[in-house]
Amino acid sequence: MDLILTNANIITLDSNLQRGETVVIRDGNVFAVGGQESLKGLRRQETRVIDCRGNTILPGFIDAHFHLLAFAESLVTLNLEPRNRVHSISDIQGKLREISRRLPAGSWIRGRGYHEFSLAEKRHPTRWDLDEATSTHPIKLTHRSGGAHVLNSCALALVGISKETEDPPEGLIDRDLETGDPTGLLFSMGDHLAKKIPPLDHDQMEHGLKRANQELCSFGITTIHDVSSRNNAERWEVFQKWKKQGLIKPRIKMVFGWEGFNDYLKYPFSSPLDEHQLRPGGVKIIVHETTGRLSPSQEELNKRVLCIHRAGFQAVLHAVEENTIEAACKAVESALKLFPRSDHRHRVEHCAVCPRPLAKRIAALGITVVAQPPFIYYNGSRYLRTVLDPDLKHLYPIGTLVNDGVHVVGSSDCPIVPPNPMIGIYAAISRKTDLDEVVLPEEKILPEKALRMYTGEAARAGFDEMAKGSITPGKLADLVVLSADPTAVPADEIDEIKEIEVEMTLVNGEIVWEKGA
Ligand SMILES: [Zn+2]
């Protein structure tokens, strides 16, 4: 069907044509964009015309760092964030007790989103705290960062973690200093646990996915890059099934984990779906530093990056701290030295603490940075109190990176924070937190740059700029209609940006969400 959106303020983000009033959509693609009068002739008998009443249209938002499964799961698990009135360990215990009464003994209780900073006790809960709530149900709590979990004694026994268990190579089992007993707190062991804890049942999962789809569409997100390190052939099949069932409307780019990549090299799997619905992306490696040692080691990291690079793929390197970002740079550098390749678009994900010399190095190597500007909004006030100098001076230096010529992309790392791109755009422009504090004001960027982080730059990071990222004839009709123009908000009313609402979302020319509908 033909569709015309007219009487709109269209920000194309196309370098040739800046603005328009009308966009004509045919067969899921943008057919034409321009002035109201000039496109009048393109209206056909069956064309549906929508009057946008002066609202703003942008290319659909792309969230380039997303965890769909974890998001769906989070929507059907216990929410332990402060905004859900959780301010102490006894609040957590109360919620756990309540839910344990409704579930048969032995069924898993999952909670997420707690942060020791927001708890009165200023510490993580322990297995013993959780045991007080229930000893008959295994409990798994996920820290707000996703990087730590707390299990009760019942759960520890089920996953086989005891005093005798050694730390796995990538993780850390927190222990009581006197007895050596695990406290229940586990660091960087998410993948390890995922292999041992049963997934949600089918109905729960489907319920979570439907809600996830609703949320994504309501925020104007038309593509996600799913960068979960457990993505593999099996996950691909699952995503494909959901896509076919129409459960998830936004397009998905699937970045493989290291193990999934090895599967892929053996049996490259393809998708019978429209090629833009589900596509393989790069290969993710988590680089981290626990108690001063790099994991994987520099040598192993170089080897893996080289392998990804030689296979013609994109390395997606999770690196948060200065040392790990530097290690990622070294690995890319050594791969490029051996096999020069222009336009590799290897990515560093997060890049949270990045001093200027490192930013310059990233620029020189042509590395793309996938940042999470909404962290500034949701976590910024906590960073101001807990991150020490000198790291604090280099926290999410988006302005510096952009000025040094780095391609910087926006994302949410959802479910770590809600996937609302307008919050990320607002934070990149204002550097403001939810408590109205400002984190490194010198790192502000201009509104149009912020919009590009979630559109053109994100499309480029997925090698999709020919199909997405701007409103250009021939590109996919993935669009978002906003209640106001983020580039036209006066500087002294900057807070208005975060109040801008999504009126309508289109994927492939199909209206997938409409406010009030
Ligand atoms: Zn992530």
Side-chain angles (χ1 to χ4, degrees), residues 31-216:
F31 184 76
V33 55
Q36 213 135 290
E37 283 304 310
S38 62
L39 299 182
K40 245 183 182 161
L42 294 175
R43 182 172 174 176
R44 301 194 288 203
Q45 201 158 19
E46 71 279 13
T47 305
R48 180 178 171 199
V49 180
I50 297 176
D51 181 349
C52 292
R53 303 180 317 273
N55 282 327
T56 294
I57 303 183
L58 279 171
F61 294 131
I62 300 172
D63 190 320
H65 189 117
F66 205 93
H67 303 279
L68 179 59
L69 225 69
F71 183 43
E73 203 177 296
S74 78
L75 294 171
V76 286
T77 55
L78 197 55
N79 181 346
L80 301 174
E81 293 174 37
R83 73 192 96 161
N84 202 28
R85 278 181 252 138
V86 175
H87 304 294
S88 66
I89 289 173
S90 68
D91 289 345
I92 293 178
Q93 289 167 326
K95 298 242 175 213
L96 290 170
R97 254 179 228 121
E98 200 183 297
I99 198 163
S100 70
R101 272 184 231 119
R102 287 187 272 124
L103 288 173
S107 39
W108 278 86
I109 298 176
R110 299 156 214 263
R112 50 115 197 161
Y114 86 87
H115 198 296
E116 72 282 11
F117 178 82
S118 343
L119 298 174
E121 296 85 352
K122 300 281 172 215
R123 64 168 174 88
H124 295 266
T126 64
R127 66 192 290 184
W128 302 290
D129 294 319
L130 305 188
D131 287 349
E132 280 181 37
T134 171
S135 55
T136 50
H137 299 73
I139 300 173
K140 179 185 90 166
L141 303 188
T142 305
H143 186 258
R144 181 160 165 183
S145 67
H149 295 87
V150 188
L151 270 55
N152 66 349
S153 299
C154 177
L156 286 168
L158 285 172
V159 302
I161 294 177
S162 67
K163 197 171 174 171
E164 287 70 40
T165 313
E166 282 180 31
D167 290 353
E170 76 288 356
L172 189 73
I173 300 172
D174 186 56
R175 295 168 201 268
D176 184 282
L177 288 177
E178 278 167 28
T179 65
D181 280 325
T183 65
L185 179 60
L186 309 169
F187 292 100
S188 304
M189 284 178 63
D191 288 346
H192 182 87
L193 293 175
K195 287 178 195 151
K196 310 220 163 179
I197 298 176
L200 294 179
D201 71 40
H202 176 271
D203 288 354
Q204 283 174 311
M205 201 61 219
E206 189 169 307
H207 182 59
L209 276 170
K210 282 183 179 159
R211 288 190 53 191
N213 179 60
Q214 275 273 317
E215 294 265 312
L216 286 165

